[in-house]
Amino acid sequence: MQDQTPSSTVDRTVAYDFAAIEARWQRLWDDTGAFRVEDVPTDGKPKYYVLEMFPYPSGNIHMGHVRNYTLGDVVARYKRATGYNVLHPMGWDAFGLPAENAARERKVHPAEWTWRNIDAMRAELQRMGLSIDWTREFATCDPSYYGQQQKLFLSFMRMGLVDRRLSWVNWDPVDETVLANEQVVDGRGWRSGAPVEKRQLAQWFFRITKFAPELLEALPGLDRWPDRVRAMQSKWIGRSEGARVRFALADPVGEIGNVEVYTTRPDTLFGMSFLAVAPEHPLAAAATAADPAAAAFVAECRALGTSEAAIEGAEKRGYDTGFKVRHPFDGRVVPVWIANFVLMEYGTGAIFGCPCGDQRDLDFARKYGLDVVPVVLPPGEDAASFQIDTKAYDGPGEMINSGFLDGVSSSDAVKTVIQRLTEGGQGNGVTNWRMRDWGVSRQRYWGCPIPVVHCPSCGVVPVPEAELPVVLPEDVDFDLPGNPLDRHDAWRVVACPTCGGRAERETDTLDTFVDSSWYFARFCSPNAVEPVANAAAAHWMPVDQYVGGIDHAILHLLYARFFTRAMHAADIVDVDEPFAGLFTQGMVTHESYRAPDGRWLYPTEIERRPDGVVVEIATGGPVNVSAIDKMSKSKRNTIDPQEIIGRYGADTARWFVLSDNPPERDMEWTETGIAGAHRFTQRLYRLAQAIAERPDHGTSKTGVLTRAVHRTIASVTIALDQFAFNVAVARLHELLNAISDANRGLALADDAGAAEVRQAFDVFARLMAPMMPHLAAEILSQLHLTQGNAPDLTWPVADPALLVETTATIAVQVGGKLRGTIEVAVGASEETVLAAAAAEENVARLLAGKTIVKQIYVPGRIVSFAVKA
RNA sequence: GCCCGCCUGGCGGAAUGGUAGACGCGGCGGACUUAAAAUCCGCGGCUGUAAAAGGCGUGCCGGUUCGAGUCCGGCGGCGGGCACCA
């Protein structure tokens, strides 16, 4: 090991040659397998699993990746230094639509395109100097991964977690393909431009709703998740308590004798003035059959539904079907409307309208002249005069105009109504969930094949495990519209595993969210012959720290939580929650530039003149500097990480990304910021060399510098534990300034002082090592301070004795305002401190002639005199 | 419309209810240099003063407290998420 340490030639005239030095250390780490861990380690060390969301291999890494992987790497290296075995793997979320788009546009096979991108991006990531165990790398498009996923699918199928049913999709009639939401632009297919149709297809589903209660109940236990993410998930799952109410139609409509409604406010039933159904509701269908105007209205609603902008600003509209229902309690006859704001997917697809208690219902009633009867009296209002005008009241209160409920509180009324409905067989109390089952069918080639065959006589038959994986055929073409798997007879047509007759493979592939719902478990034993080796998962799961973007706050994290529970139920893992800790980072932003004619310009195409004016280099014309935006190709405001690393080095890029601001917020990439970070690394290197030249034979003393070192150890440790990396950077700046000052003021013969400075630098380098690993390793090696290899560095521990100060500066307030400070010995008695405070010149002046009504002393901090004249 | 987050110098930001503005970026002054760059040293909320003292200051208004950037109530602005969720 020792002889592999790079030679450290100190030449103080040469600036820090980051390119050579970073490459050298990376090679050493790679050659020695520095970051490799066992599937089931036996050395008795505690485990720590750090994972960043794995990247989609789009072609190149971007600044968002740099930020993401730097944050995770700091945690991984820090935990390793404090004595953990750290699992820190990397892989590729390699299935997905862009590969098929590339195939159509550039005639390159999705597999070839994907693997090429992976090779390029792996090299780019490796230049960042991440402490990753690359022996665990895999891509989800590899049959050795998706074959295991097919086994999981079949397990879930046996467990009753898989379902096949009809579902609506966006259908492009020209491309003969199902469109993703992002492929629908203004109601038209993005490529064909044809108006999108809604079509019903048989689709595969995971029954995630079976887990809805536990996915919700486990959220409070995820105490190392951001509150924000837990709140978003909770709302998405959307548990509500309410009632189903059956309304009998006054006259049956065909087969339909009644309409069922879901409500969270059964107490307001007497305020009902209409019933509204979704445009897709069977009763709406019945209305359209006989009434062309109703049909026209429903068609309008469908068209509106595809455009998001239209829904946003859509006014509440409806159509009176002429059907009537009977109120379950007072027997009133109430009209049935079709309304554009009622959703078929939620509840029963029908509501009762209570205008006084719901703003949407009120708007609707006012528009169409329906009754508005107040039924809940807000506290402090008078029943005789209370009116609903343009604002509905949805709070609690006393029931009025409500028959047998009058005088009861609205919360009691909920119970009473549910009881009455149940007794009368007109309804019952129910718990409703907003979350729907997870549709996993995709009519695409570049995804994991669903391992079933369709047999005309046996129906849906799972592919026997011995025949897995069902591998994607390679000889496909993308010249024709539709899914190439549908046209590939040699692949598609098979013998039925049960009866041996002619059958056909399922040609739907799985949603790529499935691929990312268990990859973290596969990383524990990436070569296992089963999806996950139990012993490895038992050791490493759950992920202790997961790091990624807030954009995955709901779907990816919820699906992964569902999968983990399902895998637990199948005895594959022994945890319920995949991610014990979650950190969500902000976006990377940058200024964007636009020429007067509207063209977006790359940062490299503009120049900032000394007078501050920004011009286009090519034309010399003025440039409009636009707002700080998320880096995006369309606005051309991206900064290429490779260019930055080439110019400044990986350590400098990492340092800037960490120092700019708190990592959960959006950061702004600035040229001055990265240049400043670069100056810091150069300064640090120069100082290290200056210190290296001093004689190295003294015994260190314990001076003010050593005390500063130990304070820094304590504060940096706390900062890293809290993900306050920008604060850790600030504390390290302070320490470097202190070391620099001490070194400058050192007499040539002061061997003890030199030893103190040297020792301070040793600690400094170890504290910064998680953030700038190459430079830290290089400096320690050059100073012959810590022998060996950066990953073997130990984290310094603060000596509590050196954190104790002998004197304290105490602030003195008079009347709540700061009027002076005093220096006192730590441990001085309260009387002594109060006397000293009162004697302070300025304080004494302000206290003169006043009466002290109260004096407060907070030891070590502050004295406060409350006075009156 | 609903939900969440944020608001502190020119800028990014720091601050267990206890000296607001650490640290950095930019700026200004000085040293070095023929000069520039780099580097090194110093200054730095606003106002006020010869210098002090003092006054004002964490989006706005109010409250709790000896003491509020921090806690509570209200208002405003900015950003993000969403499937109009009955």
Side-chain angles (χ1 to χ4, degrees):
Chain A
M1 182 80 80
Q2 193 55 47
D3 59 355
Q4 291 183 50
T5 304
S7 65
S8 304
T9 45
V10 178
D11 181 350
R12 71 197 170 98
T13 63
V14 173
Y16 172 48
D17 182 2
F18 54 82
I21 290 170
E22 289 182 351
R24 216 164 53 199
W25 285 100
Q26 284 170 20
R27 202 174 321 119
L28 175 76
W29 296 334
D30 194 38
D31 290 348
T32 58
F35 307 113
R36 243 177 259 162
V37 286
E38 303 293 320
D39 286 3
V40 185
T42 52
D43 58 12
K45 284 189 190 178
K47 72 96 183 179
Y48 202 87
Y49 185 178
V50 182
L51 184 67
E52 303 95 24
M53 291 178 183
F54 67 164
Y56 179 78
S58 57
N60 296 99
I61 66 168
H62 54 69
M63 278 301 169
H65 291 127
V66 171
R67 196 177 195 200
N68 193 191
Y69 299 126
T70 297
L71 295 174
D73 199 48
V74 171
V75 176
R77 286 180 180 269
Y78 165 58
K79 288 294 176 184
R80 189 183 303 276
T82 56
Y84 289 88
N85 276 328
V86 173
L87 173 59
H88 188 209
M90 181 63 70
W92 308 96
D93 189 13
F95 275 136
L97 218 39
E100 288 193 36
N101 293 337
R104 282 176 218 279
E105 284 158 16
R106 291 183 242 163
K107 308 286 177 214
V108 52
H109 193 280
E112 189 195 331
W113 182 85
T114 301
W115 286 110
R116 220 163 48 202
N117 288 347
I118 288 173
D119 287 341
M121 289 175 69
R122 184 192 304 108
E124 293 180 358
L125 282 182
Q126 286 175 339
R127 287 184 70 194
M128 286 181 62
L130 304 171
S131 61
I132 284 170
D133 179 357
W134 284 101
T135 64
R136 291 174 182 272
E137 176 188 359
F138 60 74
T140 57
C141 64
D142 195 312
S144 67
Y145 181 80
Y146 71 72
Q148 300 296 336
Q149 184 163 302
Q150 289 168 344
K151 283 189 202 164
L152 287 177
F153 182 93
L154 295 180
S155 301
F156 290 2
M157 216 170 161
R158 286 191 296 273
M159 293 159 69
L161 292 176
V162 174
D163 196 16
R164 191 161 186 260
R165 61 177 97 122
L166 288 175
S167 172
W168 292 96
V169 295
N170 298 311
W171 180 259
D172 186 319
V174 172
D175 279 350
E176 293 176 41
T177 185
V178 176
L179 297 176
N181 281 331
E182 65 167 16
Q183 297 175 317
V184 180
V185 181
D186 295 332
R188 290 169 180 274
W190 66 332
R191 221 188 291 277
S192 69
V196 171
E197 298 170 4
K198 291 210 164 197
R199 213 183 237 217
Q200 270 195 321
L201 288 184
Q203 303 267 292
W204 291 94
F205 284 85
F206 282 145
R207 300 181 65 185
I208 187 171
T209 52
K210 266 196 164 180
F211 289 83
E214 46 181 302
L215 287 170
L216 181 68
E217 282 155 21
L219 282 174
L222 297 174
D223 55 353
R224 289 201 297 119
W225 280 40
D227 290 342
R228 189 162 51 133
V229 173
R230 290 190 291 174
M232 285 162 85
Q233 293 224 343
S234 169
K235 188 166 187 286
W236 187 264
I237 296 167
R239 181 182 197 275
S240 67
E241 300 264 12
R244 285 190 182 229
V245 187
R246 254 184 309 285
F247 292 89
L249 280 156
D251 300 298
V253 178
E255 303 280 293
I256 308 170
N258 57 58
V259 190
E260 200 166 82
V261 151
Y262 173 73
T263 178
T264 55
R265 292 296 302 273
D267 53 316
T268 63
L269 199 49
F270 282 97
M272 173 182 188
S273 58
F274 63 98
L275 187 144
V277 299
E280 298 82 15
H281 193 275
L283 205 54
T288 58
D291 179 354
F297 177 74
V298 168
E300 263 179 67
C301 291
R302 285 247 170 97
L304 199 78
T306 55
S307 160
E308 209 175 294
I311 289 173
E312 283 287 315
E315 61 171 318
K316 279 79 191 140
R317 295 184 54 218
Y319 182 85
D320 188 351
T321 61
F323 304 146
K324 310 282 184 201
V325 292
R326 240 172 243 296
H327 192 281
F329 294 149
D330 60 18
R332 269 185 298 143
V333 166
V334 178
V336 177
W337 288 64
I338 304 169
N340 64 353
F341 60 89
V342 178
L343 302 178
M344 192 61 213
E345 294 83 8
Y346 187 80
T348 60
I351 64 161
F352 76 77
C354 174
C356 71
D358 183 290
Q359 192 61 45
R360 270 181 326 228
D361 293 352
L362 181 62
D363 296 344
F364 192 83
R366 292 289 183 223
K367 185 179 176 74
Y368 292 108
L370 298 158
D371 293 343
V372 179
V373 181
V375 289
V376 179
L377 186 68
E381 289 283 348
D382 176 34
S385 62
F386 180 63
Q387 292 281 328
I388 292 288
D389 183 17
T390 56
K391 266 199 120 42
Y393 176 73
D394 62 2
E398 181 191 320
M399 303 309 300
I400 53 175
N401 302 322
S402 294
F404 58 85
L405 294 174
D406 281 350
V408 173
S409 75
S410 49
S411 56
D412 286 344
V414 171
K415 296 171 201 151
T416 309
V417 167
I418 289 174
Q419 193 188 342
R420 285 278 191 123
L421 288 170
T422 309
E423 286 164 6
Q426 296 151 307
N428 54 285
V430 291
T431 300
N432 194 52
W433 301 87
R434 179 177 172 275
M435 187 169 70
R436 304 197 287 260
D437 277 336
W438 174 16
V440 293
S441 275
R442 297 292 182 269
Q443 291 69 36
R444 320 220 169 267
Y445 167 74
W446 196 232
C448 171
I450 293 175
V452 302
V453 299
H454 300 276
C455 171
S457 35
C458 308
V460 170
V461 181
V463 174
E465 289 225 350
E467 290 173 27
L468 294 183
V470 175
V471 179
L472 287 170
E474 284 174 24
D475 54 329
V476 288
D477 70 81
F478 292 90
D479 294 336
L480 298 169
N483 180 356
L485 294 177
D486 283 333
R487 302 189 295 267
H488 198 296
D489 291 348
W491 180 83
R492 190 173 43 109
V493 178
V494 290
C496 169
T498 305
C499 71
R502 186 187 191 276
E504 295 190 2
R505 286 194 191 285
E506 171 64 63
T507 58
D508 283 356
T509 52
L510 289 170
D511 179 8
T512 57
F513 271 124
V514 178
D515 310 336
S516 55
S517 288
W518 69 286
Y519 77 109
F520 45 86
R522 182 71 182 168
F523 273 140
C524 299
S525 50
N527 302 308
V529 294
E530 62 270 43
V532 178
N534 295 64
H539 181 78
W540 289 110
M541 287 298 289
V543 175
D544 295 282
Q545 186 61 58
Y546 198 34
V547 185
I550 188 73
D551 39 330
H552 291 299
I554 297 180
L555 293 181
H556 162 58
L557 292 171
L558 198 60
Y559 294 153
R561 294 182 62 215
F562 158 72
F563 243 75
T564 303
R565 277 161 199 279
M567 288 193 291
H568 191 183
D571 265 336
I572 294 168
V573 298
D574 60 4
V575 295
D576 280 329
E577 289 292 338
F579 313 120
L582 172 69
F583 186 86
T584 52
Q585 72 192 53
M587 302 183 300
V588 181
T589 65
H590 193 266
E591 285 180 335
S592 48
Y593 311 101
R594 219 164 183 184
D597 59 10
R599 282 174 301 126
W600 294 101
L601 301 172
Y602 291 106
T604 50
E605 293 177 317
I606 62 107
E607 170 177 52
R608 203 174 291 268
R609 292 200 318 222
D611 58 4
V613 175
V614 177
V615 296
E616 184 177 358
I617 295 170
T619 65
V623 170
N624 181 28
V625 178
S626 306
I628 308 299
D629 274 315
K630 179 176 182 172
M631 284 189 184
S632 75
K633 284 186 178 151
S634 63
K635 289 189 177 167
R636 299 195 167 179
N637 64 340
T638 54
I639 299 293
D640 175 16
Q642 295 314 295
E643 211 257 325
I644 294 296
I645 292 174
R647 190 138 51 105
Y648 299 106
D651 280 341
T652 294
R654 294 166 63 121
W655 189 253
F656 173 52
V657 152
L658 293 165
S659 67
D660 187 59
N661 68 349
E664 67 275 16
R665 293 196 208 167
D666 291 351
M667 80 166 280
E668 185 190 351
W669 186 273
T670 59
E671 314 314 313
T672 52
I674 183 73
H678 187 240
R679 277 199 300 276
F680 178 78
T681 58
Q682 294 291 349
R683 180 180 156 224
L684 170 54
Y685 189 71
R686 277 196 305 274
L687 182 59
Q689 290 180 317
I691 291 169
E693 298 213 326
R694 290 194 176 273
D696 181 16
H697 45 68
T699 303
S700 176
K701 62 178 183 184
T702 303
V704 287
L705 180 60
T706 301
R707 290 180 178 279
V709 164
H710 283 260
R711 279 198 307 275
T712 307
I713 294 170
S715 56
V716 168
T717 303
I718 291 169
L720 292 195
D721 284 336
Q722 296 175 340
F723 266 75
F725 301 131
N726 58 323
V727 179
V729 166
R731 296 288 95 88
L732 288 172
H733 268 286
E734 284 170 351
L735 181 57
L736 192 75
N737 290 342
I739 294 172
S740 179
D741 289 347
N743 184 56
R744 193 171 337 113
L746 213 54
L748 260 178
D750 186 354
D751 287 353
E756 185 184 30
V757 166
R758 190 175 278 267
Q759 207 163 72
F761 216 86
D762 172 80
V763 172
F764 176 85
R766 284 189 282 152
L767 290 175
M768 77 167 194
M771 305 185 232
M772 293 208 272
H774 312 87
L775 187 50
E778 180 67 16
I779 285 170
L780 289 170
S781 156
Q782 286 195 6
L783 293 184
H784 305 294
L785 284 170
T786 302
Q787 297 297 321
N789 197 341
D792 301 329
L793 295 179
T794 55
W795 192 249
V797 177
D799 178 352
L802 293 175
L803 297 175
V804 177
E805 302 292 337
T806 54
T807 65
T809 307
I810 306 286
V812 185
Q813 294 183 348
V814 179
K817 285 179 190 276
L818 180 72
R819 296 303 182 181
T821 59
I822 53 171
E823 290 289 323
V824 299
V826 166
S829 71
E830 181 166 345
E831 297 77 50
T832 313
V833 175
L834 287 173
E840 201 272 342
E841 193 186 348
N842 202 29
V843 174
R845 189 170 59 77
L846 286 154
L847 288 178
K850 301 219 171 70
T851 312
I852 298 174
V853 293
K854 194 172 180 182
Q855 35 189 5
I856 287 109
Y857 173 51
V858 181
R861 293 206 172 267
I862 202 163
V863 169
S864 184
F865 294 111
V867 294
K868 72 179 177 197

